[in-house]
């Protein structure tokens, strides 16, 4: 989060709502639903994707959901932790999962 604050929901309509603010980082696995519920007027978030195949943005339709269930498992994990690099903690967590 570059500036401001927001209440967001991760994990789709029944996911968990949380507060985020400037300096926070959220790393979402492929296919994770996310929604901004409310935000401050100055809220600004910067998004990025790891190198590799092009990302796919879809809208929630039954057809897109069915297709996503097939394609999401094929998304490869990033080679490095997006925040801390090659030795970052997410690399170890991904290997355990």
């Amino acid at each position: 989060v570059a500036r401001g604050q927001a209440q967001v929901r991760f994990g789709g309509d029944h996911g968990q709502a949380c507060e985020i603010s400037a300096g926070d980082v959220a790393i979402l696995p492929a296919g994770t639903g996310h929604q901004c519920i409310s935000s401050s007027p100055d809220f600004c978030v910067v998004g990025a994707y790891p190198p590799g195949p092009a990302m796919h943005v879809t809208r929630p339709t039954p057809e897109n959901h069915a297709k996503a269930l097939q394609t999401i498992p094929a998304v490869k994990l990033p080679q490095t932790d997006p925040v801390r690099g090659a030795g970052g903690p997410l690399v170890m967590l991904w290997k355990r999962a």
Side-chain angles (χ1 to χ4, degrees):
V1 177
R3 68 174 178 265
Q5 60 211 27
Q7 182 180 37
V8 297
R9 180 178 295 119
F10 296 128
D13 292 338
H14 303 289
Q16 182 174 352
C18 60
E19 298 286 330
I20 59 175
S21 61
D24 288 344
V25 174
I27 299 172
L28 307 179
T32 303
H34 48 289
Q35 173 187 24
C36 182
I37 299 167
S38 63
S39 65
S40 61
D42 64 338
F43 180 63
C44 178
V45 65
V46 177
Y49 294 86
M55 67 167 195
H56 298 282
V57 177
T58 62
R59 299 294 173 227
T61 67
E63 297 81 15
N64 285 342
H65 184 259
K67 184 176 179 182
L69 291 177
Q70 298 297 314
T71 59
I72 289 169
V75 174
K76 294 184 180 183
L77 292 173
Q79 293 289 320
T80 63
D81 181 314
V83 176
R84 301 265 178 103
L90 285 180
V91 174
M92 295 307 297
L93 291 171
W94 288 327
K95 287 181 182 176
R96 281 190 233 147

